[in-house]
Amino acid sequence: MEYFIEVIIPLSLDTKYTYSVDPNQIKEISKGMRVVVPFGKSKSYTAIVYKLNSDAPANYIAKEIDCVLDTKPIVPEIQIKFWEWISEYYQASIGDVYRTAIPSAFLLESQMEISKNNFPKDISSLSDDEFLIYEALNISNLTVKEISEIVQKKHVLKILKDMLSKDYIEIDYKIKEKFKPKIKRQIRLSKTLQSKDKINVLLNDLAKAPKQLNFINLLLKENPNGKKWEESVPLISRTNSDSSIIRRLLNKKILEENFEVENRKIYDFKITSEKKSLSASQDIALKKIKEDFLKKEVILFHGVTGSGKTEVYINLIESELKRNKQILYLLPEISLTPQMVKRLQEKFGDKVAVYHSKFSIHERKEIWDQVLINGSLSKIIIGTRSSIFLPFQDLGLIIIDEEHEYSYKQFDPSPRYNARDSAIMLANLYSSKVLLGSATPSIESYTNAIKSKYGLVTLNERYGGVELPEIKIVDLKEAYEKSLMKGFFSHTMLHEISKTLNAGKQIILFQNRRGYSPILECIACGYTPCCDQCDVTLTYHQFSNNLKCHYCGYQKRVIKICASCGMANFQTKGIGTQQVQEQIEKLFPGIGVSRMDWDSTRGKWDFDKLINSFSKQEAKILIGTQMVVKGLDFNNVHLVGVLNADQLFNFPDFRSNERAFQMLCQVSGRSGRKNERGKVIIQTYQKAHHVIKAVSENDYDSIFKNELNDREIFNYPPYIKLIKIILKNKSIETVKNASDWLYNVLKHYFSGKILGPSHPYIVRVKNYYHMQILIKIEKKFSRKKTRQILKKSLESFHSISKYRNTRVNIDVDPY
């Protein structure tokens, strides 16, 4: 009897493929295990077993698998069901979901390896390059990259093809392991020397080798008989020596060594005995959440900034740990991780693990393995959106902090999922609970709570009874007219900054544009340098003296001569965080100033260092983009300044008012969080704007009602669902024709509203011209049927040869 398995391959393919399995192997295989399978002419991939069956594929002859990599599944069945839901709902291939979900350390791929044919050959006919390769293969097998370096040519495949046809070489494909475990080297005194008399003799013998004697004395200081294994690195450090000392002692048989695999410790905060007591309001909120969880699967926790939502989360986590459950704590940004890890590890120790993209593939694989075994380590996972794919065994609670943040949405690459919405489905599969927390909930979540689809718990006062910050609005138009500005700062803001610094307090300044200046303009002719690959202006970065594109990463040195008129008269327009920092350092010399934006936090530990430095008050002023908005907690911040609130409103996006309100409320909430009421200065040209008014009065309800009313009139979420189709091609004519064709087909099948095709806000990115189509799905239409129509239309589209090089991205629930 023949045996077969269906597998998921980590490529952008929506099909599961069938492979044959040896009857002796089938007993070792189960769903969720990894197998290496051949795919295409000459490559092998790590596939995940989806199903075991006895039916051969109808349309092709099944190849045999190469090998089985696991002894037990690395992906639970529930997670595979979750992958299928992500694939279906977000219109993504199952292969893309697999590649996103699994740490790349698990994805072994084959690598071409060239070896010499062992039979004797006449080498006289070899060319110079072929001879070099042939001689090098006498020493060892080589990769294509190594051969390229030997002959000093980029393209060597033709040379290898000729040598292969003449039987001089053989080509094989080896599976390459990416994961490297962390190895701890341990040493101790050799067993033959572990007695008091022999140790004394040894010490006398080493009298003429003082460095070796010093090392052995240190080893014996805390380990008198030398029987215990000691880690080598700390001993080397404490004796100011190097590894050569250990090597000499090993050669003399004085020491013996041992190697042990250990997990990498990313954070290691010690448990403290301090336990915060809940305020009366927090206690009421906690009890209400627990009561509502008996009736509802999802609860929205609406608490003002600084109300102590995190302490309520900690109490809920404690309850889940008593039930021996796993907890997922989702955060929207990596920048929030260090503070939250510190708080939770000081409470729960090594039960807390962290999972996000700044960690290495080795660190992420180790966390994956710990979650999979569901041991005492890693019971609480703090992570960004990718952590929803971890292999939970017994998930009890998902906390989604700052649930309103659009950082939970993945835009590229596919799958373009929303981690908040996906986590709710994940919880449903595990029969666990979800707590959505925010001071400024998304319109959709609050609507679900008002309609009793979710539970709703509110916390309307700050911890310790501290008042919400005092908010002052500065009219920039009036300030400029009356000459009440100094650079980008109004006299009001400068006065408050001076006053705050004199009081020994700290300040956060919010400017939602990185770089030095968004525009560099020739004042003679108005020319502005633009990206060669995108339809955007290049942003000037003073510290690197570069012009950079924030869409594709293209950069070049600052130009001094105008390419249009030949004059050397450039000036900057607009402000970025670098220019704000420069002005602040001139206005307040000697005051420590830090900057938090994408440019200053690219390294793995840059967030941690910056936040730790500001917490220790090594800097008095922190300037930042929206990174400073998202839930950071600083005890000594008294003043928050918003340099230009208008930048948040003027976007062609139906969510712009909602997001402007959320951002301004959140950044205001960083002020006065402990003991003393803080202050917020908001500079704007639109003082009468209803969002500014709502922020100044902390009036979430008015924003909610206004936005809900507008969205009902113009047909936007939460009243309908959206699917955005983005078409890309290097030819603007082709992409226009392709989008017209697809629009007409969709219109034929779907009777609902379809907007477009139209150019997006930025037409060209990375040399690809974009067109977009927006499908509005009203409640009377079946979303499942709409997705089927879209899938059928795209299949027809891709069958047309002239459109095959047009990329099509599907974004379900965009924005």
Side-chain angles (χ1 to χ4, degrees), residues 397-412:
L397 176 66
I398 301 177
I399 296 168
I400 306 176
D401 202 8
E402 311 295 348
E403 66 85 26
H404 64 277
E405 279 290 344
Y406 59 88
S407 302
Y408 283 124
K409 170 75 175 174
Q410 171 150 313
F411 293 100
D412 274 312

Side-chain angles (χ1 to χ4, degrees), residues 25-65:
Q25 282 182 310
I26 196 69
K27 295 176 185 177
E28 304 169 11
I29 299 173
S30 56
K31 188 173 181 176
M33 287 172 58
R34 292 177 304 156
V35 291
V36 177
V37 297
F39 190 79
K41 289 183 178 179
S42 57
K43 286 210 92 176
S44 296
Y45 290 94
T46 307
I48 290 287
V49 177
Y50 175 74
K51 188 168 71 173
L52 282 70
N53 61 44
S54 55
D55 298 324
N59 302 322
Y60 56 91
I61 297 170
K63 295 179 181 179
E64 286 187 21
I65 66 168

Side-chain angles (χ1 to χ4, degrees), residues 252 496 548:
K252 292 178 179 180
E496 291 296 342
K548 293 183 183 179

Side-chain angles (χ1 to χ4, degrees), residues 57-84:
N59 302 322
Y60 56 91
I61 297 170
K63 295 179 181 179
E64 286 187 21
I65 66 168
D66 289 341
C67 64
V68 181
L69 291 175
D70 303 308
T71 55
K72 59 183 180 181
I74 66 156
V75 184
E77 274 197 53
I78 290 179
Q79 274 288 353
I80 294 177
K81 283 182 186 174
F82 182 54
W83 291 6
E84 289 186 286

